[in-house]
Amino acid sequence: MNKLAIEGGTPARSKPLPPNYPGAVVMGQEEADFASKVILGQSPFRYYSPNPQRAAEQLEDAMSAEMNVPYVLGVTSGTASLIVAMKALGIGYGDKVIVPANTFLATPGAVVCCNAVPVFCDIDDSLNLDPAALEQVYDEDVKAIIVVPILGNPVDMDPVMEFARRKNIAVIEDIAQSCGVKYKGRYGGTIGTIGAFSFQMNKIITAGEGGAVATHDLKLFERALRYHDQGLARHKARYGIDSPDEEFAFVGQNYRMSDITGAVVFEQWKKLPDIVASMRRSHEAIRSELASRFPEMQFRRCPDPDGGHIGSNLGIILPSKEATVKFNQAMAAENMGTYILYAGLPAYRTPAIFHQRTSDKDNFPFNYPFKNPVVYTEDMCPVAIDLIPRTAFLPIAPTLTEQDVEEIIEGTSKVYQALRDQQLVRQ
Ligand SMILES: *Cc1c(COP(=O)(O)O)cnc(C)c1O
């Protein structure tokens, strides 16, 4: 094999991979047309205008029909969707919420925003929450579990749901990174008590910003609807809601989706099946060829027996941090940058979370006098500490060509073989 690019050889690719923005890289005329219609119709607000285009509503209906979940509500962001979900569940001061150690800081951040305290659960070789570790972190103050399918890989939902049923607590699915992911044939975000979606730029489909919640439970949905819109429940008839405000209204916020966002995400939603099919095809071609060339190569495990991941990232677990650093540097030089998540650290190591610091007086809500105080220690989730810094992720864009896939296989093989030669991976 030829010389590594990092040592002066010719890079396996002449230019970098497409950016890791699956939805944005296929954005085009369709999104522009519908957004234009909303703008030229002078109707950017979803609930009233001179000439309503019902874009957010169309998005919700399309998501609901495809995912087989009756209630979907567009909101302003993924963070908003988590907050709305927890507020709908009535989670607040004095409650704990279990979150996985490997997630973006928005997940524990949303818990704190709801005045609850996040409790971190360790992960397994799927890089997602390990259902077998739930019991260890559970106590009677825990009111919900947030699961997060990281970078397109489904969570092992059956044992999570079984645990939650046994403890009578809710399950929130934070689908931000994995729109379209499936577990045993069902869409992620429709299996737990409530699903939370993001349409931010890095996510699978996007309008730059945006989010949604989904649930099968009308009572929960009504609370979400009210919380996201100042306690109001507009368009009650659309959902078959008949509760009088006098009895049911409570103080909410504004997390309403704009109809311009609705229009863009609606067109992106229609493209989702093709985006996922393309990413899965490239992912499988790369993974199976690498596995046959390097039988010892360890990939992130997909917990779904039907392989319901969306293919957006191939996770390669290397034997050491040192090997992973070298791998990522060499891959970048080959013009196929791979990366580790979150600077290699569990979410609880983010300074604000680790030091339990908020903008409020006395670091409310961390100051709640729990019977079992929530204490974060550096080493509390040993599997996360071990696996996060030695999992290299290769982003797989929906626009990869067969030639791209070929180059990725050749470049990755070249780099991996060099690690073998340096005895950084065992054969
Ligand atoms: C991006 C992300 C969020 C937050 O979504 P925003 O739309 O940026 O607010 C929440 N959870 C996870 C796991 C994410 O990756």
Side-chain angles (χ1 to χ4, degrees), residues 348-367:
Y348 60 81
R349 288 290 307 280
T350 317
I353 296 286
F354 195 67
H355 301 298
Q356 304 195 336
R357 226 159 28 222
T358 68
S359 58
D360 294 85
K361 213 168 144 219
D362 301 328
N363 292 325
F364 174 92
F366 284 108
N367 60 0

Side-chain angles (χ1 to χ4, degrees), residues 141-273:
D141 294 321
V142 169
K143 296 293 152 54
I145 304 166
I146 305 183
V147 294
V148 185
I150 285 289
L151 296 180
N153 204 29
V155 171
D156 196 1
M157 289 303 286
D158 280 350
V160 173
M161 295 308 291
E162 195 276 322
F163 183 89
R165 263 192 297 274
R166 196 148 41 82
K167 306 293 188 187
N168 194 26
I169 58 175
V171 175
I172 299 167
E173 294 178 85
D174 177 353
I175 302 299
Q177 304 181 358
S178 302
C179 193
V181 75
K182 286 183 178 171
Y183 176 79
K184 298 192 173 170
R186 295 165 72 189
Y187 276 101
T190 71
I191 303 165
T193 319
I194 188 161
F197 298 76
S198 169
F199 307 123
Q200 186 266 346
M201 181 69 179
N202 280 99
K203 316 302 180 174
I204 308 304
I205 56 173
T206 187
E209 301 281 7
V213 295
T215 181
H216 296 271
D217 182 332
L218 179 57
K219 285 220 170 64
L220 208 53
F221 180 79
E222 179 185 341
R223 287 179 56 89
L225 184 71
R226 286 187 183 278
Y227 190 76
H228 110 297
D229 188 17
Q230 313 287 13
L232 305 174
R234 290 192 242 212
H235 291 196
K236 279 184 185 158
R238 169 161 139 79
Y239 309 109
I241 294 172
D242 56 8
S243 61
D245 289 348
E246 202 58 54
E247 272 173 64
F248 290 90
F250 54 87
V251 177
Q253 300 292 319
N254 169 14
Y255 291 117
R256 295 181 303 256
M257 178 179 271
S258 104
D259 235 34
I260 300 174
T261 299
V264 174
V265 182
F266 177 67
E267 294 301 330
Q268 288 263 295
W269 176 262
K270 291 200 273 185
K271 295 180 181 181
L272 183 64

